[in-house]
Amino acid sequence: MTAAAPARAQDAASGALVFKRCAICHSTDPAKGPKIGPALNAVVNRKAGTVTGFTYSSALAKSGIIWTADKLDAFVARPSGVVPGNRMAFGGIPDAKQRADLIAFLKTLRK
């Protein structure tokens, strides 16, 4: 069990590097408010379309999605495939390891 913790830390560190692609549009600091996209702190297990101060597409706001790791993985792979009609202009990250690392990083953003 203790051997898994360093692996998760490694993944989160790699995910922080992957997040640099996301940081163009998203912050991780709720005090800074939204950029082009909503802040992604505490996104894991949050209901989609609920960050105060950000105007979501009606498709995303009405989706009812809870951002579980699996749902985030699918969305980051191909946003338009998970929520057709969303406004996120991002083609996705096809590499499964990069998506897993990114999600590990997002899980560290609790506040």
Side-chain angles (χ1 to χ4, degrees):
M1 195 70 119
T2 57
R8 277 193 295 263
Q10 181 73 32
D11 292 344
S14 295
L17 297 175
V18 176
F19 185 79
K20 288 182 179 191
R21 293 185 221 172
C22 309
I24 295 166
C25 298
H26 297 278
S27 80
T28 59
D29 183 350
K32 292 185 180 180
K35 293 169 93 172
I36 293 170
L40 295 181
N41 59 295
V43 69
V44 179
N45 295 318
R46 179 171 73 207
K47 185 176 180 185
T50 59
V51 171
T52 303
F54 185 77
T55 304
Y56 291 89
S57 65
S58 61
L60 193 59
K62 294 176 183 177
S63 70
I65 290 172
I66 302 296
W67 293 124
T68 62
D70 288 342
K71 191 58 82 171
L72 282 166
D73 181 60
F75 188 75
V76 172
R78 188 168 169 252
S80 64
V82 174
V83 184
N86 82 80
R87 291 190 317 243
M88 191 162 104
F90 180 70
I93 298 174
D95 185 278
K97 170 114 172 58
Q98 288 181 352
R99 291 193 314 270
D101 290 349
L102 174 63
I103 293 164
F105 170 69
L106 292 174
K107 286 179 177 181
T108 69
L109 306 175
R110 305 208 186 267
K111 292 185 181 184

